Amino acid sequence: MTTTRVLVTGGAGFIGSHYVRTLLGPDGTPDVAVTVLDKLTYAGNPANLDEVRDAPGFAFVQGDICDAELVGKLVSEHDEVVHFAAESHVDRSILGADAFVRTNVLGTQTLLDAALRHGLRTFVHISSDEVYGSIPEGSWPETDPLCPNSPYAASKAASDLIALAHHRTHGLDVRVTRCSNNYGHHQFPEKVIPLFVTRLLDGGNVPLYGDGLNVRDWVHIDDHVQGIELVRRSGRPGEVYNIGGGNELSNRDLTGLLLAECAADWDRVTYVEDRKGHDRRYSVDYAKIRDELGYRPRKELAAGIAETVDWYRTHRTWWEPLRPTAASAAP
Ligand code: NAD
């Protein structure tokens, strides 16, 4: 079997690092070599890759996906790209969208240009369910039009469509995944679950947006990684695959679960002014990846949340130094 050389962008972040640890871990994919390209922004953490640093076939390059020369060189040396790198926090995109457009749109375009030039075999683009907008009832199939609302979601929708355009126009083997909200260990402590958990563990209060009734579908990072690997290995060129967890929860119900896990009461919750343009509900229909590729979300929510809280409880040395760079209180 020949080795597949995979370039993973954003592999020092929350989901990308879990993907790399999984691929190169004891139950990982055989015969892959992985290079991580990551700029190490506030969200990128080299410690997330400590577990695989000495794995055969692992390499790390610090750099920017907008750097055409570096990207061209790296893409020419690899067979496949799995593209996670992005500015990923909605609240930061509301404060200023520059970095989002630069990295998420221009960076993706830079990678796709290099992929075309060097005849890359497969390009897996990690998109998001947020590109669809907000849905009052039912679930989005992949064929629904994109209707993003936040600057973050708009920049992800732009990159998603540019990636697909490279398939339709040039025949590049591009595959797109659109996943719902991820949770698990190693998530930067400004997103709702690690923000709430770290505050509760420290005896503080947590800020709940608006009426707390915004609904998200939660998927554990193990399941997201499972879906991405199915798409990378067996997906079809030019196709989009939604990935969901089957765990729709209002932010209020999620908060209740986190309070219970941290043995805290509702008096630790402060209702705060709603996020601007806050999407009410997300829900993806993931029948396509289930029926075509055999995807099944395996992590049961209560168990996954308990494990996640326990990880933060036992990994203070990981998150305490990150807190000063976290965006202000917000899910
Ligand atoms: P993250 O913020 O934890 O990690 C992003 C990584 O990208 C960081 O390591 C950062 O250093 C790197 N990066 C940022 N700008 C870069 C640049 N210009 N060049 C190179 N590297 C750069 O994000 P995450 O939550 O792990 O999300 C990863 C991907 O998955 C993103 O594309 C995101 O849109 C998508 N996604 C996330 C979720 C979620 O719930 N977190 C859900 C669906 C899709």
Side-chain angles (χ1 to χ4, degrees):
M1 206 188 271
T2 51
T3 299
T4 302
R5 300 164 303 170
V6 185
L7 179 64
V8 178
T9 71
F14 167 49
I15 307 169
S17 69
H18 192 57
Y19 179 72
V20 174
R21 289 191 303 269
T22 306
L23 239 59
L24 297 179
D27 304 317
T29 306
D31 297 309
V32 287
V34 173
T35 303
V36 168
L37 168 61
D38 198 296
K39 187 177 173 182
L40 297 182
T41 66
Y42 78 94
N45 186 345
N48 293 353
L49 294 166
D50 282 351
E51 244 173 81
V52 293
R53 203 160 298 284
D54 298 326
F58 174 77
F60 179 81
V61 176
Q62 182 172 2
D64 190 335
I65 57 166
C66 300
D67 178 343
E69 197 179 323
L70 174 65
V71 163
K73 177 179 175 299
L74 287 173
V75 168
S76 74
E77 295 166 353
H78 290 80
D79 305 303
E80 302 183 351
V81 166
V82 182
H83 174 35
F84 293 91
E87 287 293 336
S88 69
H89 191 40
V90 173
D91 286 324
R92 287 181 188 253
S93 80
I94 293 169
L95 295 174
D98 285 21
F100 287 76
V101 173
R102 186 179 176 279
T103 287
N104 301 0
V105 184
L106 182 63
T108 301
Q109 173 61 32
T110 306
L111 284 159
L112 289 163
D113 269 351
L116 266 188
R117 259 198 329 276
H118 296 290
L120 188 82
R121 197 162 71 203
T122 301
F123 189 103
V124 181
H125 178 73
I126 310 302
S127 186
S128 161
D129 65 350
E130 300 199 23
V131 298
Y132 292 114
S134 186
I135 187 165
E137 54 192 32
S139 304
W140 296 291
E142 289 84 352
T143 46
D144 260 28
L146 307 193
C147 195
N149 292 313
S150 73
Y152 161 72
S155 67
K156 290 298 291 184
S159 58
D160 178 316
L161 293 175
I162 289 169
L164 288 171
H166 278 70
H167 170 73
R168 294 186 190 130
T169 306
H170 300 290
L172 187 68
D173 176 350
V174 170
R175 306 167 190 190
V176 172
T177 62
R178 296 183 186 144
C179 189
S180 55
N181 276 45
N182 283 222
Y183 74 98
H185 46 87
H186 291 92
Q187 188 171 27
F188 192 81
E190 65 186 5
K191 304 279 172 67
V192 63
I193 291 181
L195 173 75
F196 279 25
V197 171
T198 54
R199 287 200 176 186
L200 291 171
L201 292 176
D202 269 354
N205 276 30
V206 298
L208 188 54
Y209 270 148
D211 61 6
L213 295 182
N214 303 67
V215 171
R216 300 292 182 262
D217 168 36
W218 291 94
V219 60
H220 190 269
I221 43 173
D222 283 355
D223 288 323
H224 190 184
V225 163
Q226 177 209 152
I228 293 167
E229 260 311 80
L230 286 168
V231 170
R232 183 184 71 83
R233 297 175 74 177
S234 316
R236 286 180 293 137
E239 292 296 321
V240 177
Y241 296 90
N242 288 340
I243 302 176
N247 297 308
E248 277 189 39
L249 272 187
S250 69
N251 285 342
R252 202 153 73 186
D253 290 343
L254 173 68
T255 303
L257 282 180
L258 299 176
L259 289 171
E261 275 308 320
C262 296
D265 293 324
W266 277 94
D267 60 6
R268 304 275 292 281
V269 178
T270 310
Y271 282 87
V272 297
E273 190 182 337
D274 207 357
R275 167 190 276 165
K276 281 185 180 175
H278 202 176
D279 286 332
R280 194 66 171 168
R281 177 171 174 266
Y282 299 147
S283 180
V284 287
D285 175 350
Y286 58 91
K288 179 175 171 181
I289 190 170
R290 184 191 64 210
D291 297 347
E292 201 175 306
L293 304 179
Y295 168 80
R296 299 281 184 283
R298 298 189 193 111
K299 185 69 82 176
E300 196 262 319
L301 184 73
I305 292 283
E307 284 168 27
T308 302
V309 171
D310 196 50
W311 188 87
Y312 282 91
R313 194 177 275 128
T314 53
H315 289 78
R316 275 183 175 272
T317 52
W318 183 87
W319 55 265
E320 276 180 344
L322 303 177
R323 282 216 297 205
T325 47
S328 61

